[in-house]
Amino acid sequence: MSIPIATEASVLAPISPDWTIAELVEWLADDSRQHDVALQHPLALIERAVTGETWIRTPSTVALVRSLASAARTHGAVVIADLTPFGSQFVPLGGTSSGTNRDRKERMPEPQVA
């Protein structure tokens, strides 16, 4: 029995793993892409890897595009494929959540440590 193996390219399609975050944001500048529900899952994976933030609810494609556009200011040169090897959990740039978006109501609050 053979088990189909997903590739990074198939999970992120139509986004190329070879693009930088800046190239992705440029590609997303087309208004029709900003509302494409099919991009929601791949953008969520990329956005999580770049920002390290967790959403309470499933974010809209527009919200993900805005978050990535903001992240492109500091992480624009990062290649999507370099964020993490496929098949492992995405690790945010810097290894931890920055906490910069804690005031967003869509995000989960950071756990309290006693």
Side-chain angles (χ1 to χ4, degrees):
M1 176 193 315
S2 65
I3 299 171
I5 298 175
T7 63
E8 184 172 31
S10 68
V11 171
L12 297 178
I15 298 167
S16 172
D18 297 327
W19 292 347
T20 64
I21 299 300
E23 290 170 329
L24 172 61
V25 169
E26 184 178 333
W27 182 76
L28 291 167
D30 180 343
D31 285 340
S32 66
R33 292 186 181 118
Q34 294 177 19
H35 299 282
D36 185 351
V37 178
L39 293 175
Q40 194 169 21
H41 179 70
L43 289 177
L45 291 174
I46 296 166
E47 192 267 349
R48 169 72 173 114
V50 173
T51 68
E53 297 294 332
T54 305
W55 297 78
I56 293 173
R57 292 176 285 216
T58 303
S60 68
T61 306
V62 172
L64 292 166
V65 170
R66 287 179 181 166
S67 180
L68 286 166
S70 177
R73 293 180 198 143
T74 54
H75 301 296
V78 174
V79 175
I80 295 169
D82 291 343
L83 291 173
T84 185
F86 180 73
S88 64
Q89 186 175 12
F90 277 108
V91 176
L93 293 173
T96 61
S97 174
S98 65
T100 57
N101 292 324
R102 272 190 246 154
D103 58 332
R104 285 181 150 181
K105 292 180 182 164
E106 304 94 333
R107 307 282 180 161
M108 292 185 68
E110 300 245 343
Q112 298 296 317
V113 178

